[in-house]
Amino acid sequence: MEVNIQSVQGVCSEFIDDKGKKQTVSIIVSPLKVTAKEEQSKIVVQTGCNLWKSCQNEGCYYSMAARIKPKS
């Protein structure tokens, strides 16, 4: 089996900067990790955005802000 995985350049209209302002920015979404599960005949690809550290959008899957859990 051959699998071709590539980065994709695109536009994100949900980027929120450190001042809380929503902007439309150019991004690159790239594969970060590929895991093969032979027992299930399944391949899992984890992807990431190049602006994940600087985006403050808590609702974005790629954003660091979404991964930080508030202290209880």
Side-chain angles (χ1 to χ4, degrees):
M1 173 193 316
E2 183 177 321
V3 179
N4 183 6
I5 301 174
Q6 299 178 3
S7 297
V8 177
Q9 182 177 357
V11 176
C12 175
S13 59
E14 299 298 318
F15 179 84
I16 299 175
D17 66 18
D18 58 352
K19 295 177 177 80
K21 183 178 177 189
K22 189 182 264 193
Q23 299 180 39
T24 298
V25 294
S26 294
I27 61 166
I28 298 173
V29 176
S30 298
L32 301 174
K33 182 178 178 182
V34 178
T35 307
K37 298 183 179 185
E38 289 186 37
E39 67 277 359
Q40 297 175 341
S41 299
K42 182 169 139 179
I43 295 176
V44 177
V45 180
Q46 290 178 309
T47 57
C49 170
N50 66 314
L51 296 179
W52 71 283
K53 285 186 178 179
S54 58
C55 182
Q56 302 302 311
N57 185 345
E58 294 178 0
C60 177
Y61 172 79
Y62 300 116
S63 174
M64 176 67 114
R67 298 168 193 230
I68 298 173
K69 297 185 179 172
K71 294 180 181 178
S72 306

